[in-house]
């Protein structure tokens, strides 16, 4: 009688434990199948349409840390192949077309010799195009912007890297600008310097400058991205201040998203190192965050709308991305540490259209 | 029968426990309320450092994973990128576009030809050889980039346990209420290989790797001018404290007397008194050298204002914008003030000890270096 009761108890226990075990296995199996998405993680939403890692021919078939890229005439893609001191041109379908530019020193140190001749570059870090298809290259170590036509023929450069610009700039020895990005819209050419934004006309006439070292509303610290929207508003990736700032057409501060490191507080930050900026077709602003490896989308009034992408080496993933350009629903990202550029589509853009 | 039931039930119970068990100290990477500072909250002095993008990581684990391989990510994950990740991370900013250029600045300014290897360089993620690491001349060490030398062997990106700031490197902004800024360059007190922590960026710091240089005069790793340790008082040779250098951000004084608004005591003075390096002063004269006095670029530490007791003021005009951030060869004359600014610009600044146009990272070449100490009578 007792033995029979013990058997029933053991049997009941075994049944319960078996049921629990089966339930646990079902739950675990389900977890293994689930796509893990962290609430605080960027949401994937990028689909690679074109991925290019270089011209695949010549002495340098591969890119060497490309920092900039821009769409141009007829959907062409211009890549600032920084380490190779050249601009590489691709067709809208990613077919290699041509390259132009080679190494030349315009600002030598004392005791060294200038070697620069027309069309030569020294760390081209950014590129943009105008409506005529001309290509504007931020020639970082030569402290100037070099302009080429769509086929790579040198047209001009400005400012003069040997002379002060406006009230002064951060070019070597006080001449020219230590240009980190360039944006062209209409006749306006804007460029970021170490602590300032400079505006020129397309033919290189100096218009204005704004910004200064610091963390205040009008201050900048190593900005590395700039864009202009159709209203004339200027958006700057204030990189070392870990924020994106908007200015009106005259350079008056409008808003900032993100706070400099000195103001760290517990909680999520909008940006770690924002570098590239572009304007979306709907007027939103899209920003590349190099250390978060994501694209951050903002409304024109500075509210975060979405974050896209994730770190990785697969197509559509990013690894220290540095710049972005937009052409309709196509995004062009210089995926620096993957040594490639990608033309991406953002699913949300298509959904909105 | 009861035994069999017992075994079955026990086995089932163990399986349930096994499936529901959680490692006692596992860090929950998915928990957005946790961040690295929960564990890594302070440096050696007990003060949490917050300096620019180099500290104050409170955003959660996703931030740390940008630079770190937390708990070794699974194969195929973008997080498990190999050693070059550290240098790539640093150079995201430190390629000149986000701060001082480190590698490549010499070629960019025409100091060395395009494509040429600098005569001297600490080759990141390339080498594990240490010249002067042993009395035989060379040794190898295990560094942080899977054995190879990495930026992280010398620098602490989080500013944890770093050396004292170089107080001469002072700068402040116009209308900025902060004190003049100095920097430790985020150099670790205990770089890879160090047995003990050192508080200053002096010879002992270099000797964390180049150990044989501090043992005195034997073997092919000649240690001139440390010919014999016995010549000096114990612990006093090659000592950072013996260098005449400014002692604070708001003073021109050094421990050995006033040198004026500079820090020339830190660099090897030129006995001929050239524009790049002034003549050796009385304060400098009797003091023993450190590594950096022969192996270093000239350090500009900025002048003082004529009437102020603060460091160099940066204004929003042309001169102010770059004079503080574009140090010159000559510590008393900045690029903005020089008659020919180009002449005084020094791209080498910030490159040492990463790369140098001079062999062995010597601050001068040819006989000039010798004559700094071996003065012609």
């Amino acid at each position: 009688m007792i033995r029979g009761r013990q058997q029933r108890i053991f049997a009941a226990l075994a049944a319960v434990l078996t049921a629990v075990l089966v339930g646990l296995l079902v739950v675990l199996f389900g977890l293994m199948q689930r796509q893990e998405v962290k609430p605080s993680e960027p949401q994937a939403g990028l689909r690679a349409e074109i991925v290019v890692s270089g011209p695949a021919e010549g002495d340098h078939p591969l890119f060497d840390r490309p920092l900039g890229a821009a769409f141009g005439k007829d959907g062409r893609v211009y890549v600032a192949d920084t380490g190779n001191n050249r601009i590489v041109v691709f067709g809208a379908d990613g077919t290699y077309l041509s390259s132009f530019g080679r190494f030349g020193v315009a600002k030598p140190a004392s005791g060294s010799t200038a070697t620069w001749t027309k069309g030569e570059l020294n760390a081209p870090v950014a590129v943009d195009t105008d409506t005529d298809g001309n290509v504007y290259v931020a020639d970082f170590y030569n402290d100037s912007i070099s302009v080429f036509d769509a086929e790579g023929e040198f047209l001009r450069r400005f400012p003069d890297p040997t002379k002060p610009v406006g009230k002064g700039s951060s070019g070597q020895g006080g001449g020219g600008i230590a240009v980190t990005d360039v944006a062209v819209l209409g006749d306006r050419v804007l460029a970021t310097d170490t602590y300032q934004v400079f505006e020129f006309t397309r033919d290189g006439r100096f218009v204005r400058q704004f910004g200064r070292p610091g963390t205040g509303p009008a201050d900048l610290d190593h900005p590395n991205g700039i864009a202009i929207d159709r209203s004339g508003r200027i958006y700057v990736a204030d990189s070392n201040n870990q924020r994106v700032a908007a200015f009106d057409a005259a350079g008056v501060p409008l808003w900032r998203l993100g706070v400099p490191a000195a103001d760290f507080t517990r909680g999520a930050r909008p940006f770690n190192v924002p570098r590239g900026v572009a304007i979306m077709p709907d007027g939103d602003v899209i920003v590349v965050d190099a250390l978060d490896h994501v694209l951050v989308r903002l409304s024109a009034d500075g509210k975060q709308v979405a974050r896209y992408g994730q770190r990785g080496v697969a197509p559509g993933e990013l690894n220290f991305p540095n710049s972005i350009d937009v052409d309709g629903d196509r995004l062009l990202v210089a995926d620096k540490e993957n040594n490639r550029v990608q033309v991406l589509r953002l699913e949300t853009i298509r959904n909105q259209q | 029968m009861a035994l069999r039931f017992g075994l079955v039930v026990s086995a089932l119970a163990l399986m349930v426990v096994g499936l529901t068990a959680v490692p006692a100290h596992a860090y929950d990477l998915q928990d957005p309320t946790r961040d690295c500072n929960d564990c890594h909250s302070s440096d050696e002095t007990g003060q949490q450092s917050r300096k620019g993008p180099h500290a104050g990581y409170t955003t959660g684990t996703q931030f740390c994973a940008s630079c770190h391989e937390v708990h070794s990510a699974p194969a195929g994950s973008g997080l498990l990128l190999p050693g070059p990740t550290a240098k790539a991370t640093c150079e995201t900013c430190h390629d000149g576009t986000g701060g001082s250029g480190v590698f490549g600045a010499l070629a960019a300014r025409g100091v060395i030809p395009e494509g040429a290897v600098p005569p001297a360089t600490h080759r990141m993620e390339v080498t594990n050889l240490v010249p002067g690491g042993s009395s035989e001349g060379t040794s190898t060490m295990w560094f942080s980039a899977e054995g190879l030398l990495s930026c992280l062997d010398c620098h602490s990106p989080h500013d944890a346990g770093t050396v004292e700031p170089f107080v001469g490197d002072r700068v402040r902004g116009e209308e900025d209420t902060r004190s003049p800024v100095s920097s430790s360059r985020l150099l670790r007190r205990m770089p890879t290989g160090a047995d003990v922590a050192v508080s200053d960026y002096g010879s002992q710091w270099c000797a964390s790797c180049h150990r044989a240089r501090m043992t005195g005069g034997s073997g092919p790793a000649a240690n001139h001018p440390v010919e014999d340790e016995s010549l000096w008082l114990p612990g006093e040779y090659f000592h950072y404290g013996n260098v005449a250098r400014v002692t604070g951000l708001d003073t021109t004084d050094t421990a050995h007397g006033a040198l004026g608004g500079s820090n020339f005591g830190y660099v090897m003075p030129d006995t001929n008194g050239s524009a790049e390096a002034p003549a050796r002063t009385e304060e400098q004269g009797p003091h023993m050298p450190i590594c950096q006095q022969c192996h270093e670029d000239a350090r500009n530490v900025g002048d003082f204002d004529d009437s102020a007791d603060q460091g160099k003021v940066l204004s929003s005009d042309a001169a102010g914008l770059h004079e503080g951030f574009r140090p010159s060869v000559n510590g008393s004359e900045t690029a903005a003030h020089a008659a020919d600014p180009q002449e005084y610009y020094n791209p080498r600044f910030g490159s040492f000890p990463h790369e140098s146009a001079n062999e062995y990272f010597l601050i001068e070449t040819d006989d000039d270096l010798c004559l700094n100490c071996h003065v012609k009578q």
Side-chain angles (χ1 to χ4, degrees), chain B residues 40-65:
Chain B
H40 308 282
S41 59
S42 62
D43 62 18
E44 289 180 358
T45 65
Q47 295 177 327
Q48 189 170 336
S49 301
R50 295 184 183 279
K51 293 185 177 179
H54 285 293
Y57 296 127
T58 59
T59 56
T61 55
Q62 68 182 45
F63 189 103
C64 304

Side-chain angles (χ1 to χ4, degrees), chain A residues 68-72 78 80 87 126-130 133-138 145-148 181-185 188-190 226-228 277 324-326:
Chain A
F71 289 112
Y78 292 86
I87 304 300
V127 62
D128 201 5
T129 61
D130 65 18
N134 296 325
V135 183
Y136 296 70
V137 180
I145 298 166
S146 280
V147 186
F148 302 81
D181 195 17
V182 60
V184 186
L185 185 69
R188 303 179 72 189
V189 179
L190 284 105
I226 189 164
I228 325 166
V277 188
I324 187 167
D325 196 15
V326 176

Side-chain angles (χ1 to χ4, degrees), chain B residues 25-36:
Chain B
H25 300 291
Y27 188 79
D28 184 2
L29 295 174
Q30 309 297 327
D31 183 353
T33 67
R34 300 291 303 275
D35 63 52
C36 294

Side-chain angles (χ1 to χ4, degrees), chain A residues 29 36 48 81 101 112 132 148 156 158 161 168 195 213 220 237 247 281 323 333:
Chain A
F29 184 75
E36 189 65 52
D81 187 8
S112 301
D132 295 330
F148 302 81
R156 59 188 176 277
F158 62 83
Y195 301 101
L220 299 168
F247 301 86
S323 78
V333 175

Side-chain angles (χ1 to χ4, degrees), chain B residues 266-287:
Chain B
Y266 189 76
V267 302
M268 197 72 176
D270 183 344
T271 48
N272 296 320
S274 69
E276 287 74 20
R280 197 167 178 79
T281 65
E282 185 177 347
E283 287 77 18
Q284 293 166 323
H287 299 293

Side-chain angles (χ1 to χ4, degrees), chain A residues 7 38 40-41 108-109 122 140-141 167 170 172 195-196 212 224 240 261 265-266 272 275 291 311 320 336, chain B residues 1 19 30 33 35 52 55 58 62-63 65-66 89 92 96-98 108-110 114 174 318 321 325-326 342:
Chain A
Q7 285 177 354
K38 290 185 285 184
S40 59
E41 282 285 85
N122 191 348
F140 178 68
Y141 274 122
K167 294 189 296 180
S170 296
Q172 176 192 347
Y195 301 101
Q196 299 178 89
R212 45 182 273 174
N224 267 268
N240 286 11
T265 55
R266 191 180 185 88
N272 282 317
R275 298 276 285 194
L291 272 187
R311 188 182 189 188
F320 297 92
K336 183 188 64 170
Chain B
M1 191 63 174
L19 281 171
Q30 309 297 327
T33 67
D35 63 52
T58 59
Q62 68 182 45
F63 189 103
S66 292
T89 305
T92 287
T97 61
R109 297 304 183 197
E114 180 195 11
E174 187 184 43
L321 272 172
F325 289 91
R326 295 281 177 174
Q342 188 85 352

